[in-house]
Amino acid sequence: MVPGELARPNTERNYTTIDELAMAIRKGLSLQNKRMGEEESMEAAEHIINFFGYSDRVIDNMLEPEDRDAFYTMEDIGGVLQTEREETTLYDGREWRIHYWLLNIPRIMELARMKVNDVKEVKSEESQLYEEIPDEYWKAS
C-alpha cells in the first residue's frame, strides 16, 4: 500500500442474507423474462436458506424430491445454487459419490445488485397473435 492511500475494505464474504437471496431470485427470473412477486421470492429464499443454516453446502440425500426440484430451479436461475460431487473409495473397493448443493454467494450478490428493468413487458406468442389482427376486425357490427 502506498503511504497516504486508504485501505479498501474486503468486499468478499462467505454468507448471504435472505433479502439478498430473494432479490437474486427475482432478478434471476426477470433475466429469463419470468416474474415472481416480492412475497413469493421471500418465501422461496426462506425455504432454500432453511436447508443451509450457517453453512454454504447441503448434502443432496437429505432433500425430498419436491425440494430437489426447487434446488434445480434455483440452479437454473442464473446459478444461485451449484452442485458439486465428491468421490471416495469404500473399504470393499467400491466407489461412492456424494452430491452437494452449494450457495453461489458471489453470484447471489451479483444478481442482487444488478440493475434490471422491472417494467419489461413480456408477451407470449398467443398474445402477439392478437396484435396482428387489424383493428377493424375488433369493432362490433
Side-chain angles (χ1 to χ4, degrees), residues 10 15 19-20 23 26 52-53 63 77 82-84 140:
N10 183 4
Y15 66 91
D19 291 331
E20 274 180 332
M23 182 73 70
R26 270 197 316 277
F52 289 92
L63 299 176
I77 299 176
Q82 295 177 304
T83 56
E84 180 179 86

Side-chain angles (χ1 to χ4, degrees), residues 34-49:
K34 298 176 184 174
R35 296 283 176 260
M36 182 181 277
E38 234 177 279
E39 190 175 317
E40 271 184 306
S41 64
M42 185 60 81
E43 288 173 8
E46 287 174 356
H47 181 77
I48 297 299
I49 212 79

Side-chain angles (χ1 to χ4, degrees), residues 96-112:
W96 187 263
R97 290 190 188 106
I98 304 169
H99 296 269
Y100 296 98
W101 287 95
L102 304 159
L103 279 172
N104 187 351
I105 305 296
R107 183 62 178 154
I108 291 169
M109 290 175 15
E110 179 184 347
L111 282 170

